[in-house]
Amino acid sequence: MEPSLETHTATQIPDNSKTPAQKQRTYGPLVVESTPQGNKYGAHAKDEVPQRASVLNKFLEDDVDDRVVLTLNDFATVILDLPTNWEVKENFDLPPESKAVKDAFEAYLKVAEGAPTGKDQKGKRAATHERELYRPLANLLNALRNGTGLVDDGLDEKMFYVQDPRPVLGSLLERKPDLGGIYTQLLELAENKNLSTYLSKKKIVGVFWGLLLFFVEVKDRNGNFVGLNARKRGVVRSASRARSRVLSSIDKLLTSHVPPPASTMSSDKRDTAQVTIHQSGGREKILEVGTSQYYERKAEEELEEETKLTPTQGQRHTRVQCASYAKEMLSNGFIRNHAIGITADSGVFRFQYYDRSKVVESEASDFFFSPAFHIVDEEWRKLFMAMVCQLNQLSSEKLGFIPNLHLDDFDYLRDPKQFAQDFKDNPEGLVGVKYRFKCSDGCRRIFVIKRVLYRAEGIIGRGSIVVEVECICTESGCKWHEERKIMKISFPSRSRPPEDALIQEARLKAESTGAHWALNHLPQIADSITLTYDESTVQGRLKSHLKEKYEERVIRVAILEKLHPLSELEDPRDFAQVFYDILQIHQWLYECAGILHRDLSIGNIMFRRKDDKIYGVLNDFDLSSRVQDMDKGLLSNHRTGTRPFMSPELLNPNWKGGHYYRHDLESLFYIMVCIACRYERPGVAAAEPRAYSKWFHGTDEEVRDNKTSFLCCSPPANIPIQPYFAGFKLWLKSIYRSMRFGYLDSAKYSLGPRESESDDEDFHFDWMTMNKCVSYTTIRSTMSSFEGNYLETRWAGWNPDH
């Protein structure tokens, strides 16, 4: 059963009564405490974060470390929806014990059992033998589909195929799972005529992430890389002790998936071909695409590097490697709820599941032979057969594709003739895809994606996708027909108030109080749709099984007006006016509408043009909170904010103070610093090495330490402002000094307020504003003028003594 559809109007507010209550405080403002999983955050600044494996893998490590492990039976029933009584259930049949199935088992076992270890006589790494497992395993998995291993003509038939050493398309990183699962019709084209011809003309080989149904990663380490044999031998160390020792080796290996720079690859033209891609924002990039020979050689080198890993290193490497495939399926494929994969290590298998709330894996189990007696284990083999059979029977929706992917005679996933995709022009895979939603006015509209504006990286979190769409519905009277809109699809916590409700509350407050100026600085949402997960979905079953360990989420679809990004501004004074507008609307929202934004970033500050004037617009209220509700405890298990622009306090897992409005003002400062120092002019990045890159590359701890050093150790003269933005020098130095004084003063008082402060006047410190060092009044006094001329003050009635 697909997720149920629930349309929220602006006046419908979800029940947040289940939000855990926060301990009452006798001092200070109402706050939301930092969360136990605070190292996860809502969104990445995609234009800022380099597409390098060594960077993106850091975003996956915490997700993998926070995984849960289910028994094989629980994984089969909870994740794959296998009936608990599958052995006797009439409508569930295992593939027959045909000669094809038996031969496939024997063929795979023969290769798996005969795998060499160490070095052969020629001194070459035996890791190359791993690739000999690919085809026998694909044949086995396909034989378990119907007992014959033959391809049928049915559109619902799925098939495993060998993907390695060719990377999957749609990402600027070379990610190549060993086996892929795909609909039969697509596989036939890829291996025969039409699709392979099309792709070869573009000098690209393979399929893109949107078409991958599931992945299989193959190892040849006798179970050590999935933990079975390693556990038996007692060599597994705790993650915390092993982490520092193995990360450098793993990072080096995973980074090898990145294509070498063009300057190094172009030395051998036989190995590469140049492809021009058009990225979001109209930018072009020349990509060096490797030939089959290049990928073959690269794969052999990577497999040889794996032989140098210890079992503990290998397990961590394998988990991050598989998580990277799931991340690509969720972030660079079609819009999905979850992704499923399998790891095979010789005769040992493990199933994996990834969604926006949790990474789940099954116990590693030896399906084929007992280490002691080396005989086929009939019980485990049957369960393995049942799970693979069930995996092949799952519908597109149960494999994670949101059910609103538009069906036009044939499923887009099954019919490659519908490809509107030109990989040469757009590698992201979403342009041209159609989605159908029932809007609040009753119209069933079809939206075709015209441009991808933003896609969040990572697995856990909101996973926001922002695209420009055109309505192509044919219903009579549709007021949006052929009109361009912005569509944002995200996966927020179910307990979090809907973005459209908060924006509508703010707009109604502005109208009712006569603050009509505020309407120019708030976004307009044309419609909002909510998809929820019921008990019949895998997310519903996981919540029932894991209880409080699993965070419930919903799918929210917001249709918004088109706004302009900061990169389209042309005059530094316009930047200054937009930033000053953001400060004013943020203060009005907090003090008058009772809403704290909590996620200021470059992508969330936009502008609109009206009557030849520019108005800064504060966008994206996904992580915002009502001030009156902020004493009720945690609204989400994920830290609010975007890491490069977050306060160092909020990046500290030991911070006790919660999220103050002052933290948003700090974010505004970091945004201005990044724009003034990291860009030569609007939309044009400064030359490498760019300033403050560690804010975008590092872990929470690294970013926190770097920002703390920046605030407490570096003199303000060292802020490397680009000449185009020289007018911001006074602003940045003044705000920097205020923040510096505040942080140096706060260092006397440990990690936030303590309950004893209210009774000790000598110990009191105003954490809300850092003793007025970082307040609306202080910042407004600096930002109200630019280069000696006053900017336009929109909110004339604000109270400077608040």
Side-chain angles (χ1 to χ4, degrees):
M1 181 176 177
E2 66 186 44
S4 59
L5 178 64
E6 176 187 357
T7 303
H8 283 290
T9 63
T11 57
Q12 289 177 311
I13 310 299
D15 180 13
N16 293 325
S17 59
K18 296 182 180 179
T19 302
Q22 179 181 329
K23 178 173 58 179
Q24 293 297 314
R25 310 168 73 121
T26 59
Y27 59 90
L30 306 177
V31 298
V32 174
E33 288 192 338
S34 301
T35 67
Q37 298 176 344
N39 47 7
K40 302 179 180 70
Y41 49 95
H44 298 281
K46 184 161 186 174
D47 288 340
E48 294 284 342
V49 178
Q51 295 293 294
R52 296 203 305 269
S54 59
V55 174
L56 294 180
N57 286 330
K58 291 182 179 179
F59 299 152
L60 302 176
E61 290 170 5
D62 292 324
D63 297 344
V64 169
D65 287 344
D66 191 45
R67 67 189 178 276
V68 295
V69 179
L70 302 182
T71 66
L72 200 64
N73 284 290
D74 285 341
F75 194 98
T77 55
V78 175
I79 303 297
L80 300 182
D81 199 20
L82 192 69
T84 54
N85 59 340
W86 61 270
E87 291 186 271
V88 296
K89 196 171 181 63
E90 294 181 0
N91 61 353
F92 185 86
D93 295 322
L94 282 174
E97 288 285 348
S98 63
K99 185 176 185 301
V101 172
K102 292 179 181 177
D103 288 348
F105 266 108
E106 291 177 4
Y108 179 75
L109 281 172
K110 183 177 180 180
V111 180
E113 294 176 270
T117 57
K119 298 181 179 179
D120 59 22
Q121 294 179 350
K122 296 181 180 180
K124 295 181 179 179
R125 289 288 181 184
T128 55
H129 183 269
E130 180 177 300
R131 301 185 66 192
E132 297 178 18
L133 293 170
Y134 297 167
R135 179 54 60 188
L137 180 57
N139 291 339
L140 171 60
L141 296 174
N142 287 326
L144 293 176
R145 184 184 67 251
N146 56 18
T148 66
L150 301 176
V151 176
D152 296 333
D153 294 330
L155 290 179
D156 283 329
E157 287 295 339
K158 306 174 184 68
M159 187 171 183
F160 292 87
Y161 71 103
V162 177
Q163 176 69 36
D164 186 69
R166 300 164 297 181
V168 181
L169 304 178
S171 170
L172 300 184
L173 299 178
E174 285 184 10
R175 300 296 199 195
K176 40 186 185 294
D178 298 326
L179 306 184
I182 200 169
Y183 281 110
T184 299
Q185 189 174 359
L186 296 174
L187 180 70
E188 289 177 326
L189 288 178
E191 293 189 343
N192 294 316
K193 299 178 181 178
N194 299 341
L195 185 57
S196 59
T197 301
Y198 170 83
L199 294 172
S200 64
K201 286 181 179 179
K202 308 300 182 186
K203 295 181 169 40
I204 301 175
V205 181
V207 297
F208 68 94
W209 288 105
L211 300 179
L212 204 66
L213 303 179
F214 25 72
F215 68 85
V216 182
E217 182 62 23
V218 181
K219 304 296 180 186
D220 188 24
R221 304 295 181 272
N222 297 318
N224 284 288
F225 276 22
V226 293
L228 186 68
N229 288 3
R231 284 202 302 271
K232 292 175 180 176
R233 296 169 187 168
V235 298
V236 178
R237 305 177 183 89
S238 69
S240 59
R241 288 192 309 230
R243 184 183 181 95
S244 60
R245 190 177 304 175
V246 304
L247 280 185
S248 59
S249 298
I250 294 172
D251 190 60
K252 177 183 176 183
L253 181 57
L254 289 170
T255 306
S256 66
H257 287 270
V258 184
S263 59
T264 61
M265 291 184 65
S266 58
S267 60
D268 187 353
K269 295 296 183 182
R270 295 172 299 174
D271 273 4
T272 65
Q274 285 193 342
V275 175
T276 300
I277 62 171
H278 299 282
Q279 300 174 287
S280 299
R283 295 168 298 165
E284 289 189 353
K285 183 179 180 70
I286 303 297
L287 204 63
E288 293 281 355
V289 179
T291 63
S292 297
Q293 292 81 5
Y294 162 74
Y295 290 127
E296 290 279 349
R297 185 172 65 253
K298 196 71 175 168
E300 295 294 342
E301 294 171 357
E302 292 166 7
L303 288 172
E304 184 173 343
E305 284 295 316
E306 282 190 13
T307 65
K308 302 174 184 178
L309 299 178
T310 67
T312 301
Q313 291 173 325
Q315 291 167 45
R316 186 169 186 82
H317 161 64
T318 302
R319 284 191 169 101
V320 175
Q321 189 177 15
C322 290
S324 74
Y325 304 148
K327 189 277 296 183
E328 299 291 353
M329 293 168 73
L330 293 172
S331 297
N332 287 313
F334 294 125
I335 302 171
R336 299 179 73 145
N337 299 304
H338 59 267
I340 298 174
I342 302 174
T343 299
D345 187 351
S346 300
V348 183
F349 281 72
R350 181 172 65 207
F351 289 78
Q352 292 119 333
Y353 166 91
Y354 310 82
D355 70 15
R356 296 299 180 184
S357 291
K358 187 64 69 173
V359 174
V360 182
E361 64 182 39
S362 72
E363 292 179 331
S365 297
D366 190 335
F367 296 106
F368 295 140
F369 48 86
S370 161
F373 302 101
H374 201 66
I375 59 174
V376 172
D377 188 316
E378 187 68 21
E379 180 182 352
W380 286 122
R381 189 178 73 160
K382 277 191 174 181
L383 181 54
F384 170 69
M385 291 171 63
M387 292 175 74
V388 175
C389 182
Q390 178 73 353
L391 190 63
N392 277 302
Q393 293 177 13
L394 295 178
S395 64
S396 300
E397 289 78 13
K398 289 189 176 182
L399 285 172
F401 297 92
I402 69 170
N404 302 74
L405 187 64
H406 179 56
L407 302 180
D408 185 12
D409 296 330
F410 294 97
D411 192 323
Y412 188 98
L413 293 168
R414 299 176 174 91
D415 188 2
K417 295 178 183 179
Q418 294 189 47
F419 282 178
Q421 202 58 45
D422 188 336
F423 294 110
K424 172 176 175 290
D425 290 337
N426 190 317
E428 292 181 325
L430 268 180
V431 173
V433 179
K434 301 172 185 177
Y435 285 87
R436 183 199 298 269
F437 293 100
K438 182 179 179 181
C439 298
S440 57
D441 62 2
C443 285
R444 294 185 177 274
R445 292 185 170 90
I446 300 174
F447 298 97
V448 58
I449 295 177
K450 293 295 186 179
R451 190 159 63 113
V452 178
L453 303 176
Y454 173 81
R455 300 206 67 164
E457 299 291 346
I459 297 175
I460 308 299
R462 288 179 296 161
S464 298
I465 300 153
V466 184
V467 293
E468 184 177 332
V469 298
E470 180 180 320
C471 178
I472 60 170
C473 71
T474 57
E475 291 198 18
S476 60
C478 177
K479 58 185 178 181
W480 295 351
H481 184 62
E482 296 185 347
E483 185 176 331
R484 293 288 182 98
K485 298 283 187 181
I486 300 301
M487 181 170 73
K488 181 171 73 173
I489 300 179
S490 58
F491 301 80
S493 169
R494 185 168 186 167
S495 63
R496 185 164 292 284
E499 178 183 27
D500 66 301
L502 292 174
I503 293 174
Q504 184 67 3
E505 283 181 24
R507 297 186 71 88
L508 290 174
K509 183 71 173 180
E511 292 172 351
S512 65
T513 60
H516 298 289
W517 67 271
L519 299 175
N520 289 327
H521 308 282
L522 295 170
Q524 288 185 328
I525 293 186
D527 205 351
S528 180
I529 304 147
T530 298
L531 296 166
T532 59
Y533 302 109
D534 60 29
E535 294 80 3
S536 68
T537 63
V538 60
Q539 289 82 6
R541 293 192 298 272
L542 271 173
K543 179 61 179 177
S544 177
H545 187 82
L546 298 177
K547 308 298 183 185
E548 69 279 355
K549 293 182 180 179
Y550 185 80
E551 181 177 27
E552 289 185 280
R553 293 183 177 273
V554 296
I555 308 173
R556 288 216 169 99
V557 183
I559 311 298
L560 306 100
E561 65 167 327
K562 286 185 63 175
L563 295 169
H564 300 280
L566 289 174
S567 59
E568 293 183 10
L569 292 172
E570 299 177 353
D571 188 333
R573 185 175 176 84
D574 288 338
F575 274 91
Q577 183 64 60
V578 167
F579 290 140
Y580 186 39
D581 287 348
I582 296 303
L583 177 66
Q584 293 177 79
I585 190 62
H586 188 280
Q587 182 179 7
W588 181 86
L589 283 166
Y590 182 72
E591 296 183 354
C592 298
I595 295 171
L596 181 60
H597 189 275
R598 306 207 311 167
D599 185 23
L600 266 65
S601 70
I602 288 179
N604 293 342
I605 296 178
M606 307 191 80
F607 70 94
R608 63 163 57 97
R609 297 184 189 275
K610 184 177 178 182
D611 300 329
D612 296 325
K613 296 181 68 174
I614 287 175
Y615 298 87
V617 178
L618 183 55
N619 202 27
D620 192 354
F621 284 67
D622 270 351
L623 295 181
S624 302
S625 299
R626 299 182 184 92
V627 175
Q628 66 181 14
D629 294 335
M630 290 173 62
D631 63 337
K632 295 181 180 178
L634 307 180
L635 296 177
S636 173
N637 287 335
H638 307 287
R639 178 67 55 86
T640 59
T642 302
R643 181 183 278 138
F645 313 113
M646 289 174 68
S647 163
E649 289 176 341
L650 296 181
L651 292 168
N652 190 336
N654 298 316
W655 168 249
K656 299 178 175 63
H659 195 125
Y660 299 112
Y661 87 75
R662 178 252 303 173
H663 291 128
D664 282 8
L665 301 189
E666 291 184 47
S667 294
L668 182 60
F669 168 72
Y670 293 129
I671 291 167
M672 293 189 292
V673 166
C674 288
I675 287 179
C677 301
R678 291 174 58 82
Y679 291 89
E680 290 183 358
R681 59 183 186 274
V684 178
E688 296 290 349
R690 298 171 73 188
Y692 311 114
S693 290
K694 289 185 179 180
W695 298 357
F696 299 87
H697 301 175
T699 62
D700 279 0
E701 182 179 5
E702 292 168 342
V703 175
R704 182 192 73 220
D705 291 347
N706 189 269
K707 284 186 176 179
T708 301
S709 177
F710 165 74
L711 289 171
C712 299
C713 303
S714 301
N718 288 345
I719 300 178
I721 301 171
Q722 294 289 321
Y724 178 91
F725 294 102
F728 286 91
K729 191 172 186 178
L730 179 61
W731 277 24
L732 296 182
K733 286 188 174 182
S734 175
I735 299 173
Y736 174 88
R737 289 191 185 96
S738 296
M739 290 177 58
R740 178 186 176 92
F741 291 148
Y743 269 92
L744 290 175
D745 205 12
S746 70
K748 307 172 186 176
Y749 303 101
S750 186
L751 291 168
R754 301 191 311 206
E755 293 186 13
S756 60
E757 287 186 35
S758 59
D759 301 323
D760 187 349
E761 294 183 1
D762 294 333
F763 192 78
H764 181 72
F765 182 79
D766 176 18
W767 289 96
M768 169 66 81
T769 64
M770 285 189 163
N771 280 353
K772 299 184 179 180
C773 287
V774 186
S775 67
Y776 286 125
T777 302
T778 303
I779 304 301
R780 284 186 68 139
S781 66
T782 296
M783 294 178 60
S784 59
S785 63
F786 184 74
E787 294 186 313
N789 297 310
Y790 282 106
L791 296 171
E792 187 166 347
T793 296
R794 318 289 190 181
W795 186 17
W798 70 287
N799 180 6
D801 298 322
H802 183 84

